[in-house]
Amino acid sequence: MLKGFRSFLLRGNVVDLAVGIVIGAAFTAVVTGFVTAFLTPLIGVATGAVGDFTLKTFEVAGARFPYGVFINALISFLLVAAVIYFIVVVPVGKLQARLDTDKPAPVAKADCPECLSRIPVAAVRCSFCTSEVAGLPGFPAQNGGTPRPAPVH
């Protein structure tokens, strides 16, 4: 029983997931610290306020509604989302596009005239029905292949 549990824990995807969660939590702390230390005070400077809305409230029938807490959370969310997008998503997307330039061109395919399966145009024989296709319409003549006439139906 413990051997199965150990193999479950050491399985690659479980370890990768755990590492991702830990790194995600650390990254969240860094981004939240950046937003709290730099961006929220900048909003306060721009609006002429302190940048902390947590004390803003209103009362209805004796019940206190701290709407400032929601405003702070909303501002923090928008700023964190913007920081993640512009500092992580955009650069990683550009890096990925730069690295993915060596994609091979897709192989041209055509239907086998005998069994109608999709096979590469450069094929000499159909991989499904083993019919010779070199030189038939839609398939170029291959070196060493003897073209045969198209089938009459």
Side-chain angles (χ1 to χ4, degrees):
M1 184 161 134
L2 289 177
K3 186 176 184 180
F5 183 67
R6 183 182 71 207
S7 74
F8 168 74
L9 287 179
L10 296 178
R11 199 179 300 164
N13 54 359
V14 173
V15 174
D16 292 344
L17 180 63
V19 169
I21 289 172
V22 169
I23 289 176
F27 184 73
T28 299
V30 169
V31 171
T32 302
F34 177 73
V35 167
T36 303
F38 296 105
L39 297 182
T40 303
L42 282 175
I43 288 177
V45 168
T47 62
V50 178
D52 183 17
F53 300 99
T54 54
L55 301 178
K56 304 289 185 182
T57 62
F58 68 89
E59 286 192 27
V60 174
R64 195 169 76 102
F65 293 89
Y67 71 92
V69 174
F70 173 73
I71 291 175
N72 261 3
L74 183 63
I75 290 170
S76 179
F77 169 75
L78 291 174
L79 292 176
V80 167
V83 166
I84 289 175
Y85 180 75
F86 290 111
I87 294 180
V88 177
V89 174
V90 171
V92 168
K94 287 182 180 179
L95 178 66
Q96 195 71 18
R98 186 179 298 165
L99 295 177
D100 287 346
T101 56
D102 297 336
K103 285 186 179 178
V107 175
K109 294 191 174 196
D111 291 334
C112 170
E114 297 291 328
C115 68
L116 301 177
S117 299
R118 297 288 288 170
I119 58 173
V121 171
V124 175
R125 288 190 177 272
C126 174
S127 59
F128 296 97
C129 68
T130 69
S131 297
E132 225 178 276
V133 294
L136 295 178
F139 294 94
Q142 304 293 328
N143 292 340
T146 53
R148 80 174 201 212
V152 179
H153 293 283

